[in-house]
Amino acid sequence: MIFFRNMGLDELQQVLDWAAAEGWNPGLDDAVSFHAADPEGFFVACDGEDIVAAISVVNHSEAYAFLGLYLCLPEYRGKGIGYALWQHALAHAGTRCVGLDGVQAQQANYERSGFVRSGETVRYAGRIAADTHPAVRLMQPTEAGAVVALEARASGQAKPYLERWVRGDTTRQTFVLDRGGEIAGFATVRACRAGAKIGPFWAQTAEDARALLQVAAIPFGESVMIDVPTRSDLLGGICDDMGLTPGFRTARMYRGTAPDSAERLFAVATLELG
């Protein structure tokens, strides 16, 4: 008999292993940061004691939530289990606006659930010529709040989980571009199953963006990925110029009023939590 329940932290690690098998390439230490964002926002479908499907609907604020980690084991697909879990999890968001980054093949299905396409997110990947820069340094722990506030301004939506996400440890580092004691840009880079991912990322000028990307390529090797919204066309062009190749694309969709931002040098933290 299939039933739904909340997902535990250890089970989230198992689901991230599924995501890795699907080619999503999660970070080495994503589970703790993900789960802390909203411990009640992760759900599984179970067949007896076995987990067969998963989804997250993380409430970032009283007005905004994000859907991700929507996975179902192949042998349980086509039985209505995933969609039933989808409906169960969406109830957690209540009347909040809900965002998601979905593969193009599922866009029509999401539209039937009231989601409207607002653009794309493009993953750029490749090798960057890593280099230091006199204005770019590691973020100090006391600066995490300021970085999160700047990310909220750039993305159009506050996400409290990022205060934990941007703090450095053995698998992730955040760099800031310091201009006269003010943070003029930032980049978080985290080690993944393959290479590293940069995000969130924000800069004010193309020159600053290049400097941050080159420094972010230092800690975990020069092979990096960065998820760039199509509205951030200036950053996409810089990625092209620096030898990164556009590849994996997702449709950014919202059920409800989408956050408002027009930043052109911005990249998202993670497709799973927005």
Side-chain angles (χ1 to χ4, degrees), residues 19-274:
E22 293 286 335
W24 294 8
N25 193 27
L28 296 182
D29 192 29
D30 282 355
V32 172
S33 292
F34 279 8
H35 198 260
D38 179 5
E40 302 301 313
F42 294 83
F43 305 89
V44 290
C46 298
D47 184 359
E49 296 184 358
D50 297 326
I51 297 171
V52 300
I55 195 171
S56 62
V57 177
V58 170
N59 292 338
H60 290 307
S61 71
E62 292 301 315
Y64 185 67
F66 203 86
L67 184 153
L69 287 174
Y70 186 37
L71 293 154
C72 186
L73 293 179
E75 58 269 33
Y76 285 87
R77 294 173 188 169
K79 301 176 183 293
I81 295 168
Y83 181 62
L85 180 62
W86 163 283
Q87 293 177 304
H88 175 81
L90 273 174
H92 179 64
T95 60
R96 293 171 176 84
C97 169
V98 182
L100 63 81
D101 280 304
V103 295
Q104 296 290 335
Q106 293 297 323
Q107 182 177 331
N109 291 331
Y110 300 150
E111 287 175 345
R112 284 192 284 272
S113 291
F115 286 82
V116 177
R117 187 181 183 279
S118 71
E120 286 186 327
T121 302
V122 182
R123 175 164 295 170
Y124 288 84
R127 299 184 70 82
I128 291 176
D131 198 3
T132 59
H133 189 280
V136 179
R137 58 169 174 80
L138 282 171
M139 183 196 78
Q140 299 300 311
T142 54
E143 296 173 315
V147 167
V148 172
L150 288 170
E151 193 282 340
R153 189 179 79 184
S155 68
Q157 179 59 54
K159 307 176 196 73
Y161 86 93
L162 286 174
E163 186 145 351
R164 183 185 188 119
W165 181 269
V166 301
R167 291 180 183 273
D169 58 28
T170 57
T171 65
R172 71 185 66 213
Q173 297 289 338
T174 294
F175 297 93
V176 297
L177 193 144
D178 188 328
R179 181 166 289 126
E182 297 290 330
I183 298 175
F186 61 82
T188 298
V189 57
R190 75 191 197 277
C192 294
R193 307 292 178 97
K197 287 182 182 174
I198 297 172
F201 177 97
W202 171 75
Q204 293 179 300
T205 70
E207 181 181 359
D208 291 350
R210 290 175 182 275
L212 283 162
L213 287 170
Q214 287 183 305
V215 174
I218 294 174
F220 307 114
E222 298 173 6
S223 178
V224 298
M225 288 149 279
I226 182 168
D227 293 316
V228 181
T230 48
R231 62 178 169 79
S232 297
D233 57 330
L234 186 55
L235 180 56
I238 291 167
C239 289
D240 280 327
D241 291 343
M242 296 183 73
L244 300 181
T245 302
F248 179 65
R249 292 174 179 263
T250 54
R252 173 57 68 96
M253 306 180 75
Y254 294 98
R255 189 190 70 177
T257 303
D260 183 23
S261 176
E263 293 286 343
R264 298 180 63 202
L265 288 165
F266 170 75
V268 301
T270 167
L271 299 181
E272 287 75 35
L273 270 67

